Amino acid sequence: MSVTRIRTTEPYRHSVDLALKSPEVRQALGEPVTAGWLPQGAVNESNGGEAQLNIPLRGANDSASIRVTGTNRNGTWKYWTIRVDTDRGEHIDLLEP
């Protein structure tokens, strides 16, 4: 799957949206926070498909990666991991309880 295509998938869009709206991420990285251009990993959108992504983030003070793992069941994504790991070693869990 191409980089352009990965950026249009639900796992990519959902995890980037969570990260950009997170006060903890904005504080850790410094505003403005933006997603980098080159996500790594793969997304299989078919039923039973999986997502495993590392999405770069940049802020005014630090950089990070969003780590995403999930499974598509009948068109609904179940996420196992949506976590921001900063370059300074901080981990910010973005999964909703």
Side-chain angles (χ1 to χ4, degrees):
M1 182 177 279
S2 72
V3 168
T4 302
R5 178 72 180 106
I6 286 174
R7 292 170 62 95
T8 67
T9 64
E10 198 275 341
Y12 177 92
R13 289 181 290 130
H14 179 67
S15 58
V16 168
D17 186 56
L18 286 176
L20 296 181
K21 289 180 179 177
S22 167
E24 293 89 359
V25 171
R26 291 194 315 261
Q27 181 177 359
L29 302 183
E31 294 191 62
V33 176
T34 58
W37 176 247
L38 293 173
Q40 295 179 337
V43 178
N44 178 347
E45 294 184 287
S46 65
N47 186 32
E50 297 183 348
Q52 294 186 357
L53 294 171
N54 288 323
I55 304 164
L57 289 178
R58 291 190 190 104
N61 303 324
D62 201 4
S63 296
S65 292
I66 309 170
R67 304 207 185 278
V68 183
T69 60
T71 305
N72 184 350
R73 295 285 184 240
N74 300 316
T76 301
W77 283 94
K78 167 69 176 166
Y79 295 100
W80 308 108
T81 308
I82 303 178
R83 186 182 76 206
V84 173
D85 297 333
T86 70
D87 287 354
R88 285 185 263 162
E90 185 177 357
H91 306 290
I92 303 167
D93 188 357
L94 298 178
L95 276 181
E96 299 169 8

